[in-house]
Amino acid sequence: VDAALLELQSRLPAEVIDVDPHSLQSYGQDWTRFSKVNASVVLKPQTIEQIQTIIALAKRHQCRIVPSGGRTGLAGGAVATQGEWILSMDRFCRMGTLNTAALSLECEAGVTLEKLQEHLSSTPWQWPVDLASKGSAQIGGLLSTNAGGLKVIRYGHVRRWVQSITMVDGESRVQVLNGPIDKNNSGYNFRELVIGAEGTLGVLVAAHLKLCRKPQRRVHALRPAQSVKHCLESLIAARSFPLELEAFEFFSQDCVNAVLKHRPDLKSLPPAPWYCLWSWDASVGMPWDLSPDEFKAGSWLESAILVEDSSAHEIWAYRESITEALSTRGLVYKNDVAVPVDKLEDFLKELQSFCARAYQGFEVYFFGHLGDGNVHINIVNPNRDSPEAFRAHCESTNPSLYACVANYGGSCAAEHGIGLLKKKELLLTRGPSQVEWMKQVKKVFDPHGLFNPGKIFEADCQIPTAQEDSNT
Ligand code: 2HG
Ligand code: ZN
């Protein structure tokens, strides 16, 4: 048994340490399924002091730490491939009392989004972040990835709904980033750096989350479209309607076909190359009664299926089942890009013809958050035999694909992050000088390079040798 494990065992309660091979495998992996897992131990601390001990021991033994939440990421950000220690936040799952004066809620990092939603269900308030993976996704992971989801068009990303973060840095120090106050112009804002840092800067322990009022009622619409141009026309019409748009999504006919194969319980849809799907908050400022029949009076809505909340799942199922349906068809290579919304039509035209050439023999699916300019391009390999060759093929096409994204002024990672999978693309779209800044920032929080090695970029932080360490 190695010395590091022996010292962990001597300094921490037995229930914190898990070396069961099944745990190593499942905690070492996220939903990406592309990397070969190699984890040394899963640690499930219950107190901040235990986290501090783990970080100090990692430094002493030159081991590295993968901070770990619900592992629902799609870019390999929580994967262990180099024998790291996995620091699971599963046991940090307490919630504070609702602060209705500040409209905030204190919440530990291991609380799942679903638990948070349940906690608020009997109140008029919400944390307005919603994702299909809410049953597993944890608050710490949602903050670390600055998660997006279906309602970014109205509420923005996670970062808009975080007041304060408590974290432990690379020197085992507890840092409170901002505190439970709304106004704080006192120097640099480190909270914003930690949000979206994918666990490379430290271990997030708890946060004060900001809340807002829940819509009392929504109206949902699904509309077939002959082209991306028609989808964008629907977006403009839906935005101009005197109700607040909450979500505006789109998907191709191929996505619907895959969903119908996976979910034979769903009805087929009127055939069309594209579909758009959106919802409006119908609780405030309504000039008329929101019955679906009256909505249909608007001529542009004639071809739409309109439903109220009680039947919303019937039309949202086509969109929300896509990821799962595709995963049953073979290994999936994910791309998550964003371009300015007004460039989407030209971008998608170019993208479709590129994909038809580049991915012959594979299946290509386009869907995503049209209102945010965010397109998910999923390449599926129906031949399950050669994942390495498939990944290599996709990676060989990426320079051209992402050059196209860069030409439109786009991002190589709209909401899934960089993780292990999009490091080269980051260099292309953010440029080497900004990636260099990221490395410098990491050194401030994590001078010994302990946290999430190899994620976002290859860090050059050195773990001190045992000799140097004993001098500090
Ligand atoms: C979604 O929008 C998620 O459904 C997953 O971001 C997207 O599977 C994907 O590529
Ligand atoms: Zn998405």
Side-chain angles (χ1 to χ4, degrees), residues 319 369 374 376 415-416:
R319 168 67 181 86
H369 315 283
N374 181 184
H376 296 308
E415 57 172 7
H416 295 173

Side-chain angles (χ1 to χ4, degrees), residues 346-356 366 375 377 401:
D346 291 343
F347 173 67
L348 273 158
K349 237 181 240 155
E350 206 172 320
L351 190 64
Q352 275 182 294
S353 67
F354 172 79
C355 290
F366 303 99
V375 184
I377 310 150
L401 175 60

Side-chain angles (χ1 to χ4, degrees), residues 31 74 131-133 148-150 249 319-324 326 332-336 367-369 374-378 415-416:
W31 284 7
L74 295 169
L131 305 169
S133 55
L150 300 171
E249 304 287 307
R319 168 67 181 86
E320 292 189 307
S321 311
I322 296 172
T323 298
E324 198 181 306
L326 300 187
V332 188
Y333 188 87
K334 307 257 174 206
N335 297 285
D336 163 43
F367 61 102
H369 315 283
N374 181 184
V375 184
H376 296 308
I377 310 150
N378 278 213
E415 57 172 7
H416 295 173

Side-chain angles (χ1 to χ4, degrees), residues 412 418 422-431 435 456:
C412 66
I418 300 297
K422 293 292 185 292
K423 291 189 272 191
K424 287 193 187 129
E425 293 70 27
L426 180 73
L427 265 177
L428 190 72
T429 53
R430 292 289 295 270
V435 175
I456 307 183

